[in-house]
Every structure is written in C-alpha cells, then in structure tokens.
Amino acid sequence: MTRPADGANPLEVHWVELARGGDESAFAALVRTHQDQLYRVALRMTGNPSDAQDVVQETLLQAWDHLPAFRGESGFSTWVTRILINRCRNLHRARRPVDSLPEEHESAPGMPHSPAADTLAVASQSRDAVRRALLALPLDQRAPLVLTTFAGYTFAQTGRILGISESAAKVRAHRARRALSMTLQEWR
Amino acid sequence: MTDHDAPHGDRLPCGVRADDLLQQVIDGTPPRDPVHQASCPHCRATLTHLAELWAPVLDLAQEDVRAPAGLLQAVMSEIRELARSGWSAVLRDGTGQTRIAARVVGAVARLAAESVPHVTLAFGGGRVATAAGEQTDRAAVAGSEDATDVGLAGDRVVIDVQIAVDLGVSIPRVAQQVRDRIADHLTAQTGLRTTEVNVTVVDVRP
C-alpha cells in the first residue's frame, strides 16, 4: 500500500485544469492515477467488490460532472475521496430500510449471519473476520478507520476528506480501533 | 463521548494507557517509555495480545487491492456517452435506445415533489450549472426553470429538488416523502434508476 501523497502534484494540477475544460484524456489520467486507491477505500467501506466498483464508477462520473465547481482548495485526491465516502453513505442509507438485520449484524457476502462460536473462533484468525468486524462498525467510525489503517491517509488528510478536524479524525479512528479490537476479541 | 474528548482508553495496572500500546502496534509508533516497557509484564503481555489480535487486520491492510481491469474504460465510455447524448438519460434494450432529456426528468421530479402534501412549492429539477469557480446559491435559484440536470449517467439519475413546506410539519418526514415520491414516479414514468434524491428546503409557508 502506497501512502497517499499530501500536497499538490504539479502534473496533477495541470490534468485537473485540462479536465475542467472538458479534456477527457486528462481526466483519464486522473482516473488512472487514483482508481486503485478509490477502489481500495470503497471495497473496505462496502465489503463487496461489485458495490465497490459501482461506487467508484459513480464517484468518478460525479467528479467529472462537478469538476467545473472544483476550486482546488483541497487536492483532487481529497475531493474525489470525499465524494466516494458520501456515495458509500448514500448506498448504506438506501439499503438500510430493506435490511432486516441491524447494522451490527451486517456481514460480508458469503459470510454466515450468525456463525457458530467454533466457526468464529477459527474465522477470528482470518481476514474474513476482519472484514466482518469492519462492516459491523457504524459508518462514522468505519470511514476514518478505513482511510487511516487501510488506505494509508494521515489523520490530517482523513480530517480534510471527512470535513472534520484532524483531532476529531484521530479520536474517531481511535474509537473505531477500540471497537474493532473488542469485536475481534469477542470472536476469539 | 464527543469528538473532542481525549482518547484515554483503559489503563493497565502499571498506569500505561492501552490505547498507546494499540497505537504502537498499529502505527509502529515508538514506546513512550522504552525502559519501563522492556521490564513491565503488563505492557509486554498486552503488546503480545494486541499484536496477535491485529495481525489479520494489518495483513488485510497490506493486501494488494487494485481496481478492476475495465473500470477506467467503463468510466471513460460513460463520459463520452454523456457528452454525445447532450445530457439525456439513455435506456437500451435489444430493439434500440430511448433518450429522455434531462429537463423531462426534472419536470417529472418536480411534479412528483409537488404532489406530496404540505409541499407548496417545488422548483428545479437538478443542480444549476455554474461557471468555473462559482458557488451556487441554492436559495437564489429556487424557481428557476433553467435548472439543469447534471446527475444523469446512462439510466441512473441523481435529483436535487428545492421545496417549500407548510409551517408546523416535520421537515425530515416530508423530505423523505418527497424522496420516495420522486423515486417512485421516475421509475414508473421513465424507467430510470434513481440513485440519489437531495432535498433542499428553501422556504416555509404559514
């Protein structure tokens, strides 16, 4: 995992300027640069490759639509990741009414909803247990945890993406880490 | 607890905060007191426990995740289609394609919103296009029939609608009704998939 760059990349600023004017090749260069990082965040936020792909695709289309309003106060990466997190929230909201189980019991596709203790004991050692535990976190904790621990953003970058202060991002990420630890501990 | 509370967490019998050890395990930060930690059984036991607990998390975080191969092509294909279709929604089947102009989608959404009780005004069918760098004042564009949809992509639609509501009603409830009504009407009348309806309440009527 490469730590996302902090600060403006001159080449990227140039691509953004061209893309704002409708240059599709420049926008393609931006997509090529950021698609892996966006997909990584989306996958950990949604827990589902298909949803993650949809969310990234919709995010990039929205970014293209709204580029004229992008004033470059934050980096392109921050701005587009903020769109992505909002789309993840929308997806979560849109699905919530039809979910029969509360958020705490959401599970990744293919994972049992109420696994037996012995199954969990084995799974607790695995990545699947982590994926499940991650999805059990409320979104306001999952987002800072995903951005910091899984996507490599600093607390300052995470704060800018989420529109909160660096210290608030740090507190939320720590809270999420504790919650994740407790869940994994319970499943051991 | 608020976001401004200090993340104290539990303390070990030796007084060290468990959160500090967790951060040490996750972020690789150096111990605050290396001498104490080297000789303290509580710290060492907790570090070992946390390292085991977080091993699969860090393992997952290191997983090489890459965007699907066709993502770039799919995005650019939709963008070219958007440019070509002049902001129309496009429905395709084996017999051909149907284009629905953005202003039609906006009109359906506006009429759907106006059909909700206690919604006395509803203007605009989408975000207003602005020149580069301009801020959009939503209140200022209420009533504008020139509002343009920018939330169309293929058969997916994002709607921004601006409404005024009767004084005394629950705004969240009415906003949800507007959302549901717009999605229902768009599905029924256009066959489009509504992925997002953003409601802005710009006025309240006595």
Side-chain angles (χ1 to χ4, degrees), chain A residues 19-79:
Chain A
R20 279 160 56 103
D23 187 324
E24 293 173 10
S25 300
F27 190 71
L30 290 168
V31 173
R32 203 174 290 115
T33 302
H34 294 284
Q35 61 176 350
D36 287 342
Q37 178 73 351
L38 290 170
Y39 182 73
R40 185 177 299 121
V41 173
L43 184 62
R44 298 300 171 228
M45 285 294 293
T46 64
N48 179 306
S50 173
D51 284 344
Q53 180 166 355
D54 283 351
V55 164
V56 173
Q57 202 164 323
E58 289 170 5
T59 294
L60 290 166
L61 288 172
Q62 190 174 337
W64 170 258
D65 287 345
H66 290 78
L67 261 179
F70 173 58
R71 287 177 293 173
E73 289 170 344
S74 59
F76 179 79
S77 169
T78 302
W79 180 70

Side-chain angles (χ1 to χ4, degrees), chain A:
Chain A
M1 181 174 63
T2 309
R3 183 169 284 276
D6 204 1
N9 171 345
L11 184 57
E12 184 163 294
V13 171
H14 181 59
W15 285 339
V16 169
E17 276 308 306
L18 291 175
R20 279 160 56 103
D23 187 324
E24 293 173 10
S25 300
F27 190 71
L30 290 168
V31 173
R32 203 174 290 115
T33 302
H34 294 284
Q35 61 176 350
D36 287 342
Q37 178 73 351
L38 290 170
Y39 182 73
R40 185 177 299 121
V41 173
L43 184 62
R44 298 300 171 228
M45 285 294 293
T46 64
N48 179 306
S50 173
D51 284 344
Q53 180 166 355
D54 283 351
V55 164
V56 173
Q57 202 164 323
E58 289 170 5
T59 294
L60 290 166
L61 288 172
Q62 190 174 337
W64 170 258
D65 287 345
H66 290 78
L67 261 179
F70 173 58
R71 287 177 293 173
E73 289 170 344
S74 59
F76 179 79
S77 169
T78 302
W79 180 70
V80 77
T81 307
R82 187 183 302 150
I83 295 174
L84 179 85
I85 295 291
N86 285 334
R87 297 211 73 89
C88 289
R89 286 196 182 111
N90 292 342
L91 179 72
H92 181 77
R93 246 195 324 258
R95 295 211 170 146
R96 201 162 39 186
V98 297
D99 288 341
S100 56
L101 292 170
E103 189 179 79
E104 288 72 30
H105 294 119
E106 285 180 0
S107 62
M111 292 300 294
H113 284 265
S114 301
D118 57 342
T119 307
L120 281 176
V122 174
S124 67
Q125 300 300 321
S126 71
R127 297 176 184 183
D128 283 338
V130 179
R131 291 189 186 98
R132 273 180 51 83
L134 203 51
L135 290 179
L137 292 175
L139 281 185
D140 70 334
Q141 291 184 6
R142 197 188 312 166
L145 184 67
V146 165
L147 291 171
T148 53
T149 303
F150 291 88
Y153 287 104
T154 63
F155 292 123
Q157 289 171 320
T158 298
R160 284 197 289 276
I161 290 168
L162 298 177
I164 58 179
S165 68
E166 178 180 353
S167 60
K170 192 171 184 178
V171 169
R172 286 192 198 182
H174 280 309
R175 204 178 292 165
R177 288 170 169 186
R178 281 202 297 273
L180 191 71
S181 295
M182 287 173 66
T183 303
L184 293 174
Q185 176 63 37
E186 285 169 8
W187 290 356
R188 281 167 79 92

